[in-house]
Amino acid sequence: MYNKLTNEIVEELKKIVGTNNVIYDDPDALEAYSHDEVAEKHYAHMPEAVVKPSSAEEIARIMKLANKYKIPITPRGAGSGLSGGAVPVYGGIVLSVERMNRILEIDKENLVVVVEPGVVTNEINNAVKEYGLFYAGYPMSVETCYIGGNVAENAGGGRAVKYGVTGRYVIGLEVVTPTGDIVHLGGKVMKDVTGYDLIHLMVGSEGTLGIFTKIYLKLMPLPQAKVDLLVLFHDMDTAIKVVPKIMTFGRIIPTSIEFMDDLSFKAACKYLNEKIPFEEAGAMLLIELDGNNKTELEEQYEIIGNLCMENGAIEVYVADNATTSERIWRIRRNIAEAWKQFSPHQSLEDVVVPISEIPTFLKKIREISNKYRVPIPCYGHAGDGNIHATPIKPPELSMEEWHEKLEKLLEEMYVVVKELGGVISGEHGIGHKRKKYLPLVLEPAHIEMMRAIKKALDPDLILNPGKII
C-alpha cells in the first residue's frame, strides 16, 4: 500500500527542511528513531529517513509530499513513550519535532503559556515558576518527555487525582492535518462550544489525526507548600479502603495517592538500601498534599495520618522538607529500576479499574502470576485506579518462551480489567503494542467509530499508520 523512499524524494525533503535536517542511508543514526521505551525489541522498526522540520509550514509541505508519493509519516517527540506509538511500523519517514522546542509566549494576564511540541515538559514549569504559576498536567517522566507527546497521549501521572491529566489544560492547538492543511483550534479562551470539540479529539489521538505545531496550555497558581506521607499497611485491601475515606470523611483531595504492593516496594527498598522498617508491610501508600498555607497542610496531614492509623496502618512517616520528600519518593521512582536487577525485560502496563476494585484486581493478578510463574509487581495511582502491573521475564526463560507466555498473560490480564469495569490503558496509550487487544475491551461499533474518523481525516492512511486500530 505504501511506496519506498527514493533519492529524488529525499532531495525534495532536503529542500523543505535543509540538508542537515534529513537523516537518510545512515543505519546507525536511524536506529535511535526505530524504537521508544518499550523494552521488547520486536516492537522496533527502522525508518527509511528522519526529517526535522522547524515550522508548521514545513510540516504541511512534508505531509503533502507524503500524500503525493504514498509515503507513511510517523510523528515523534522525545521517544519516551511506552506503547510503540512513535515507532515507524511501515518504515517511511519519522518526523521529529525536536527542533520545535521554543516557549513562544507566557501570558500572565490570561494564565496561558504557548509552546511548540518539542519543549521538554519540565522546562515549562521552570519558565513560569518565577511568575508564581505552574502547568499542572504532570506526567511521571516530566524531565525527559516532550509536551507534544504528552498531548498526543493525553498523558497523566500521580497528580491526576487532584489536577487531572494533560487534556484538562489544553485550550488551543495549531495542527497540521494528515492532508497537509494548517488548522487552528481554540486559543486563549476558557470556554468554547463553537462546533465540535476538535481539540479533545486531537488530544490523545496518538499522532494519528494530526501533528501539533503550537499548543496553548492553561496555567495555575503555584502552590507555596508541600508535604508527603508514606503510610505502611499489612495488606493491600486495608490500604485501598482508606483512599475514599481520605476524600469523604477527611474532606481532603490530595495531590496524589500512590500505592505499592510488597513486590514493588521491597525490591525498591532493598535496591536503595532503605532503612525504613518495611519487612512487616504488605502495602504502602504515598500521599502528597500541596497548598498555600503550611499550617493548613499540617492540619490536613494530621487528619489523614489519624485516619490511616484508625483504619489499620502500621506507621505513618511525614516528609515536610525536600530531603525527606526525596527519600520516600525515590522508593516509588526506582521500582522498575530495582526489578531490572532481576531481569531487564519488563512489560510496563498501565491498566485502570474503579478504585474499589483495586484489591480484587491485585488478587487476580497474583493468580495469573502464579499460573504463569512470572512475577508481576503492581504499583501506581490509587487515587484514580491506574495500576502499573508489570510482568517481569524470569531469567531462565528464552526470549521466544517469554514472548509466547507474555501474550497469553496480557490477554488474561486485560480480560480481568474488562470484567472489573476498567480499561487497558490510562496513560501510555495503545500504539501498536496493545492494538491487537483493543477488541477485548471495546465494542465493535466503538472501534468502527474511530476507524471512520481516521478515514475521514486521513483518507490515504499516511499519518502514523498501524497504531490504535
Side-chain angles (χ1 to χ4, degrees), residues 260-279:
M260 297 167 273
D261 70 1
D262 57 343
L263 284 177
S264 301
F265 70 76
K266 287 180 179 177
C269 286
K270 290 175 183 176
Y271 173 69
L272 296 167
N273 293 316
E274 177 53 63
K275 303 305 181 187
I276 291 173
F278 58 85
E279 289 82 1

Side-chain angles (χ1 to χ4, degrees), residues 234-253:
H234 286 293
D235 57 79
M236 187 58 71
D237 279 29
T238 307
I240 296 301
K241 285 178 181 177
V242 172
V243 173
K245 292 179 181 178
I246 291 171
M247 293 182 268
T248 54
F249 295 109
R251 299 177 185 269
I252 299 166
I253 303 295

Side-chain angles (χ1 to χ4, degrees), residues 58-108:
E58 288 181 359
I59 293 175
R61 292 172 64 189
I62 293 166
M63 291 309 305
K64 288 176 180 177
L65 189 73
N67 278 274
K68 177 181 176 181
Y69 293 110
K70 299 295 184 288
I71 306 292
I73 296 279
T74 302
R76 183 181 178 92
S80 58
L82 290 163
S83 69
V87 174
V89 295
Y90 289 103
I93 300 166
V94 163
L95 190 150
S96 171
V97 297
E98 62 196 80
R99 293 177 63 215
M100 300 179 68
N101 57 5
R102 296 177 299 162
I103 296 176
L104 300 172
E105 181 184 4
I106 299 172
D107 184 339
K108 300 182 290 296

Side-chain angles (χ1 to χ4, degrees), residues 103-288:
I103 296 176
L104 300 172
E105 181 184 4
I106 299 172
D107 184 339
K108 300 182 290 296
E109 293 181 349
N110 288 305
L111 301 183
V112 173
V113 62
V114 186
V115 299
E116 291 183 321
V119 174
V120 175
T121 305
N122 205 45
E123 292 303 312
I124 298 172
N125 278 328
N126 290 341
V128 303
K129 182 168 54 177
E130 65 178 288
Y131 305 109
L133 300 170
F134 84 117
Y135 165 61
Y138 175 87
M140 300 300 280
S141 56
V142 66
E143 294 178 354
T144 57
C145 57
Y146 289 176
I147 187 63
N150 295 164
V151 176
E153 296 291 347
N154 196 16
R159 295 177 182 170
V161 61
K162 180 174 182 178
Y163 290 114
V165 297
T166 300
R168 180 184 289 188
Y169 302 94
V170 180
I171 58 173
L173 291 170
E174 179 183 77
V175 183
V176 177
T177 70
T179 53
D181 294 316
I182 300 174
V183 179
H184 298 88
L185 308 174
K188 294 182 180 180
V189 295
M190 295 299 156
K191 290 182 177 179
D192 182 359
V193 291
T194 310
Y196 291 144
D197 187 358
L198 296 181
I199 291 173
H200 292 101
L201 173 64
M202 292 293 169
V203 174
S205 61
E206 301 192 26
T208 63
L209 302 181
I211 299 173
F212 312 132
T213 52
K214 194 181 292 183
I215 302 164
Y216 294 74
L217 297 169
K218 180 171 63 176
L219 298 174
M220 303 278 285
L222 179 66
Q224 299 301 301
K226 184 174 83 73
V227 67
D228 298 295
L229 305 177
L230 183 66
V231 189
L232 278 59
F233 292 87
H234 286 293
D235 57 79
M236 187 58 71
D237 279 29
T238 307
I240 296 301
K241 285 178 181 177
V242 172
V243 173
K245 292 179 181 178
I246 291 171
M247 293 182 268
T248 54
F249 295 109
R251 299 177 185 269
I252 299 166
I253 303 295
T255 311
S256 64
I257 311 176
E258 299 289 286
F259 80 91
M260 297 167 273
D261 70 1
D262 57 343
L263 284 177
S264 301
F265 70 76
K266 287 180 179 177
C269 286
K270 290 175 183 176
Y271 173 69
L272 296 167
N273 293 316
E274 177 53 63
K275 303 305 181 187
I276 291 173
F278 58 85
E279 289 82 1
E280 292 183 20
M284 285 185 181
L285 293 182
L286 177 50
I287 303 167
E288 181 180 294

